[in-house]
Amino acid sequence: MAAFTTTNIYIPTILTLIAGIIYQYVLYPAVISPLSKIPSAHWSCSISPAWILWARFKSRENGTLHAAHKQHGPVVRVSPNELSVNSIEGVKTIYQGGFDKHEWYSVFNNYGVPCTFSSLPSKPHSQRKRMVSHVYSKSFIHSSPSLRTQAHTILSTHLLPLLHFSTHVSQAPHGVDVHSLFCAAAMDFISAYCFGLPRHADFVRRRAEREHWLSIYMVRKGHSFFAQELPRLSRFLSVLGIKLTPSWVDAANHELEAWCKQRSDATLRFLDREKDGGEGEAVVNTADDPVVVRALLAGIEKEYAMYGTESMLYSTTIQQRELSVASEIIDHVLAGQETTGVALTYLSYHLSQSLELQLELRRELLTLEPSMRYVDGDCDRGIQMPDSRQLDSLPILHALIKETVRRYAPAGGPEPRVTPLPSCRIGPYEVPGGVRVSASVYNVHRDEAVFPDPEKWDHARWLRPQGAAEPADSPNGDDEKVDVNRYFWGFSSGGRMCLGSNFAMHDMKLIIAAIYSNYTTHIVDDEGIEPTDAYTGHPKSNSLYLRFERAVDD
């Protein structure tokens, strides 16, 4: 009988392990998995996520996926367990079908507490959203006395005086960095709506503080790759003392969080004193009213009154009230300032290339009653606020903003979701549960069958009667009719679409109307205006310098 040795055990064991590894990580994903039937963006995507991770790390994901979809079709495999989708039908399936969010969003658990945006399952998301969604509805925004007064103060006494001063002879050559200024104006709008005017950022007037804040925000924004895409590796290496994210990024995050929490806590103290009768007359319906924080507190109290300790939000939103409010609000102010500021930058960039288009816009703006021209032409007297519903109905202004959001997609990156168990159908493919799947605004807005010459900024796309035939030179020919509004996805869709979409459209319209009712703009320096290819894009130079001149009445 042959002698029994350890070799008899080791060799079969090792061979079995190797075979198992090959099956698990090569054979199954590449040949057997249901995803193997879906075209791969790159030969390696069926066995490794390296291809898409490298594109994300180098901040070129949007363009990379766009090229992949043009080559391989509307559903593309980008890693062993991830798909990219680029069709309106796929978008409906994923985003209106209630797919849960991917853990990618967990990085937005500010202060260690979830907010609406970072809630992964749909139920806690819905409960958090209900607390504040009513104050972001179009009807509430258009009728809010607090927002109207806040907007008037910011426009009439902060923004327009600064633009008027820039026209003075002492300010030659009269260049204003409007990218910084528009981010500031957007921040002032959203922070006033959240905290009340006494506690808002006031960045339009506080330039030095604004520039510092924007610089640390860019640090936060530019170093989230490892925490979002490789969270387990990041945590493991951190235990070993190896940090993939530099310590100065953590410092920037802490400073931003402290900035917001200071205002959030001050607002909570104010509302608590008001509730106890210590603040005198209530500020509801005035510029001092912290509309969003007030709504959040009312929502938290209602949730506790209805469900008590049985509420699924009890351990977070209810027991950690201060942190939960701060977590929610920092998400609102960070998202609100950047995306709106970027859209306004690119809109003013295109307007500044055409005095004829500026004149066309101004003629439409002057139909507002009252118009937003300086009262009696005197800049010292400020402006009057128009009827919000009339402002919202201006077709040229609306088209200009929609085309800018379409073309430049300030939040254009993929929005990852997870397919439900046991499986679902996306396009012609049966996709198992637990697969990361996403679509992106950048790609949806570049469908050439809907948006001919998609890289061209053309606001007239939105002015043709709905259902009208495409131009003769479009890919659709003369006969096919396309409703472009059906393909607009600038604020996502479904139950988890952008909570602040109505607010963003409203403040963009107010800011553009206030400026172009009184001024014309001209490019001074547009170097680096090309957009970055990131989840939230912005001009590569983070600047655009324009010259403002008083508009001449017809």
Side-chain angles (χ1 to χ4, degrees):
M1 182 175 177
F4 183 82
T5 66
T6 55
T7 303
N8 298 113
I9 299 176
Y10 288 156
I11 292 178
T13 301
I14 292 172
L15 290 176
T16 302
L17 287 174
I18 291 174
I21 291 171
I22 291 174
Y23 175 83
Q24 179 72 26
Y25 295 104
V26 179
L27 184 61
Y28 179 81
V31 180
I32 302 174
S33 166
L35 301 186
S36 65
K37 300 178 177 65
I38 300 173
S40 289
H42 185 261
W43 67 265
S44 66
C45 290
S46 62
I47 60 173
S48 169
W51 180 84
I52 191 63
L53 288 175
W54 183 249
R56 288 172 183 150
F57 180 72
K58 300 297 289 185
S59 295
R60 58 187 188 208
E61 181 178 14
N62 294 330
T64 299
L65 290 178
H66 183 58
H69 282 294
K70 290 191 73 171
Q71 181 177 357
H72 299 289
V75 183
V76 176
R77 191 181 190 185
V78 297
S79 86
N81 200 48
E82 181 177 358
L83 304 178
S84 177
V85 177
N86 188 33
S87 70
I88 200 66
E89 292 75 20
V91 164
K92 286 182 178 179
T93 299
I94 298 165
Y95 298 93
Q96 296 178 27
F99 288 22
D100 284 344
K101 283 188 170 182
H102 188 266
E103 65 175 351
W104 183 88
Y105 290 92
S106 296
V107 75
F108 298 103
N109 285 344
N110 309 298
Y111 311 100
V113 179
C115 61
T116 302
F117 185 66
S118 67
S119 298
L120 306 186
S122 58
K123 284 191 175 181
H125 166 268
S126 297
Q127 287 182 278
R128 289 188 172 95
K129 181 180 177 181
R130 278 199 299 268
M131 294 180 183
V132 292
S133 60
H134 65 287
V135 298
Y136 284 109
S137 69
K138 181 181 286 190
S139 59
F140 190 97
I141 287 168
H142 285 178
S143 61
S144 170
S146 296
L147 178 56
R148 184 180 181 86
T149 310
Q150 291 164 358
H152 181 263
T153 299
I154 294 167
L155 294 173
S156 194
T157 67
H158 299 180
L159 179 63
L160 290 177
L162 186 151
L163 300 183
H164 174 66
F165 179 69
S166 77
T167 66
H168 193 272
V169 65
S170 65
Q171 298 302 299
H174 310 290
V176 176
D177 180 5
V178 295
H179 178 60
S180 170
L181 185 61
F182 285 146
C183 287
M187 172 59 87
D188 287 358
F189 265 79
I190 187 61
S191 61
Y193 198 54
C194 289
F195 300 128
L197 197 63
R199 291 162 293 276
H200 86 299
D202 202 5
F203 278 174
V204 168
R205 296 190 297 182
R206 298 174 179 173
R207 181 175 178 179
E209 184 177 344
R210 173 218 312 173
E211 297 297 345
H212 173 70
W213 192 95
L214 289 174
S215 69
I216 59 174
Y217 173 74
M218 292 306 296
V219 170
R220 170 190 175 101
K221 174 183 171 180
H223 293 83
S224 61
F225 171 80
F226 291 107
Q228 284 188 292
E229 300 296 342
L230 300 168
R232 293 172 184 80
L233 177 62
S234 297
R235 289 193 293 267
F236 174 73
L237 292 179
S238 180
V239 171
L240 300 179
I242 302 171
K243 298 202 67 175
L244 296 177
T245 302
S247 57
W248 42 270
V249 176
D250 293 335
N253 278 323
H254 292 327
E255 185 174 348
L256 285 173
E257 290 183 346
W259 178 91
C260 181
K261 193 169 187 301
Q262 180 184 27
R263 284 165 171 75
S264 179
D265 288 349
T267 306
L268 290 176
R269 289 193 298 270
F270 168 78
L271 290 174
D272 286 342
R273 288 195 301 269
E274 179 191 82
K275 187 176 181 180
D276 295 338
E279 285 290 324
E281 193 172 327
V283 298
V284 175
N285 293 333
T286 74
D288 293 353
D289 188 20
V291 176
V292 179
V293 174
R294 185 187 295 278
L296 267 175
L297 287 185
I300 292 171
E301 291 174 2
K302 182 178 180 180
E303 177 74 15
Y304 183 60
M306 291 181 65
Y307 303 106
T309 59
E310 299 301 313
S311 169
M312 66 174 61
L313 304 182
Y314 182 74
S315 64
T316 54
T317 305
I318 295 173
Q319 283 198 309
Q320 302 181 71
R321 185 189 75 153
E322 289 76 14
L323 289 178
S324 294
V325 170
S327 179
E328 190 68 42
I329 298 302
I330 193 173
D331 176 66
H332 294 204
V333 297
L334 294 188
Q337 63 85 24
E338 183 188 24
T339 53
T340 299
V342 168
L344 289 171
T345 298
Y346 282 112
L347 175 50
S348 64
Y349 170 67
H350 283 282
L351 283 171
S352 299
Q353 297 177 58
S354 173
L355 286 173
E356 182 180 351
L357 182 55
Q358 290 186 55
L359 179 59
E360 183 182 3
L361 171 62
R362 187 164 184 264
R363 285 172 176 163
E364 180 181 78
L365 294 174
L366 294 184
T367 65
L368 291 170
E369 295 181 0
S371 78
M372 298 184 77
R373 283 187 297 187
Y374 286 126
V375 176
D376 296 330
D378 184 355
C379 44
D380 292 332
R381 297 187 61 185
I383 60 172
Q384 294 179 288
M385 297 298 289
D387 177 78
S388 294
R389 292 173 180 81
Q390 187 187 7
L391 176 70
D392 187 54
S393 68
L394 296 180
I396 296 174
L397 177 60
H398 192 69
L400 291 168
I401 292 175
K402 287 193 78 169
E403 177 63 1
T404 303
V405 174
R406 182 206 70 81
R407 169 61 181 82
Y408 292 99
E415 300 178 8
R417 300 292 191 265
V418 179
T419 55
L421 296 171
S423 67
C424 64
R425 196 159 191 85
I426 299 178
Y429 304 107
E430 192 69 20
V431 180
V435 174
R436 174 172 170 170
V437 58
S438 60
S440 71
V441 180
Y442 181 97
N443 282 304
V444 171
H445 285 173
R446 279 164 173 74
D447 184 342
E448 295 182 10
V450 181
F451 304 108
D453 195 4
E455 298 301 323
K456 179 182 179 182
W457 184 89
D458 178 15
H459 75 288
R461 301 177 198 274
W462 309 94
L463 294 175
R464 285 188 289 271
Q466 295 309 305
E470 290 290 305
D473 60 350
S474 82
N476 300 314
D478 288 311
D479 298 323
E480 188 172 349
K481 298 179 179 181
V482 176
D483 181 0
V484 293
N485 287 294
R486 180 170 172 260
Y487 292 83
F488 181 78
W489 205 54
F491 299 105
S492 190
S493 57
R496 309 194 81 159
M497 72 176 291
C498 175
L499 183 64
S501 59
N502 294 313
F503 187 89
M505 290 295 290
H506 183 65
D507 66 16
M508 282 192 284
K509 289 181 177 182
L510 280 175
I511 292 169
I512 291 297
I515 292 173
Y516 286 94
S517 292
N518 297 286
Y519 295 95
T520 59
T521 57
H522 312 263
I523 295 174
V524 174
D525 184 0
D526 62 354
E527 183 176 357
I529 192 62
E530 302 83 10
T532 59
D533 185 359
Y535 179 78
T536 51
H538 57 85
K540 289 182 179 178
S541 63
N542 270 319
S543 65
L544 171 66
Y545 287 86
L546 300 182
R547 183 179 76 254
F548 291 81
E549 295 180 1
R550 283 292 299 274
V552 178
D553 289 330
D554 295 343

